[in-house]
Amino acid sequence: MAKFDLKKLLSENEYPGRGIVIGKSKDGKSAMIAYFIMGRSENSRNRIFEKFDGGMRTKAFDESKLTDPSLIIYNPYLALENIDIITNGDQTDTVYNYIKENGDDGFAFDKALFTREFEPDAPNFTPRISGIVKYGNCSCCNNDFCYRLSILKSANGNPEVCNRYFYSYSPLAGIGHFIHTYSHNGNPIPSFYGEPEEVELPNTATELADMIWTNLNEDNKVSLFVRSVNLETKKATEIIINKNK
């Protein structure tokens, strides 16, 4: 039985910030990925998700209101052959480019992220959270896919130090792992602490999207991306929900 109820984690937290969920569907048929963004400022809330061939980007909903694109406009999701990369910043491109140029020796995700650190948005020093899913007969765990999560964050708000944490998972039916940028709302906003939270996952992308979107704080939620990949047919289902329409 999973340790945490994803609905409760979301509904009882006014501001988890940006979040990644990766795992395996309850019926064991699909790999599942979810990524959401939230915002407290007008600039952060003025965004939508937009799909393109091979990935997904954030963009301004109203270009006239965009004041600082540096940390809010990026590619959260990029795909390589048999690999999905999902992050909360432009480190998606860092991981993508590293693997494309050097291949994946099993540690490419880590090596790429060791070149990056938390966001330079004092006093919050927002963590960079990242995930990768590798499909196919996984040599490290003998499964049809495996996944990793990472968080790069300051040392309890000290920007002189960047601590980098990496977590590797073999998939289990109905189980996912959830990591988010902030523990809860605050000023400055406290970073996520501890290991990614083990959560229960449903069967379908639609169910997961509804579970997350319904339970995110209504005032602060901005956009949601959910992707599921059928492990037998390799068919992908993708859902994007934008508050700004």
Side-chain angles (χ1 to χ4, degrees), residues 146-162:
C146 61
Y147 60 100
R148 304 199 73 194
L149 288 169
S150 171
I151 184 167
L152 317 179
K153 63 179 189 172
S154 66
N156 295 316
N158 180 354
E160 299 300 316
V161 177
C162 179

Side-chain angles (χ1 to χ4, degrees), residues 32 202-210 226-228 237-239:
M32 308 188 90
N203 286 327
T204 69
T206 300
E207 290 174 296
L208 181 58
D210 181 66
V226 173
R227 173 177 165 86
S228 69
T237 299
E238 295 181 344
I239 297 170

Side-chain angles (χ1 to χ4, degrees), residues 13-33:
N13 191 342
E14 181 185 34
Y15 201 66
R18 286 165 275 174
I20 296 171
V21 180
I22 303 178
K24 196 172 193 179
S25 62
K26 186 176 181 179
D27 58 15
K29 295 181 179 179
S30 302
M32 308 188 90
I33 297 172

Side-chain angles (χ1 to χ4, degrees), residues 27-43:
D27 58 15
K29 295 181 179 179
S30 302
M32 308 188 90
I33 297 172
Y35 176 64
F36 65 81
I37 60 174
M38 306 181 80
R40 300 193 305 177
S41 68
E42 181 181 39
N43 195 46

Side-chain angles (χ1 to χ4, degrees), residues 83-96:
I83 293 176
D84 285 336
I85 304 161
I86 190 87
T87 90
N88 73 324
D90 61 12
Q91 73 269 24
T92 315
D93 296 77
T94 303
V95 176
Y96 177 92

Side-chain angles (χ1 to χ4, degrees), residues 51-56 75 77-80 83-85 96 238:
K51 191 75 176 68
F52 62 87
D53 188 27
M56 184 267 292
N75 298 320
Y77 165 69
L78 291 173
L80 286 161
I83 293 176
D84 285 336
I85 304 161
Y96 177 92
E238 295 181 344

Side-chain angles (χ1 to χ4, degrees), residues 164-181:
R164 298 174 175 86
Y165 303 88
F166 297 88
Y167 306 91
S168 298
Y169 299 101
S170 298
L172 290 171
I175 299 296
H177 290 89
F178 176 35
I179 193 166
H180 39 103
T181 51

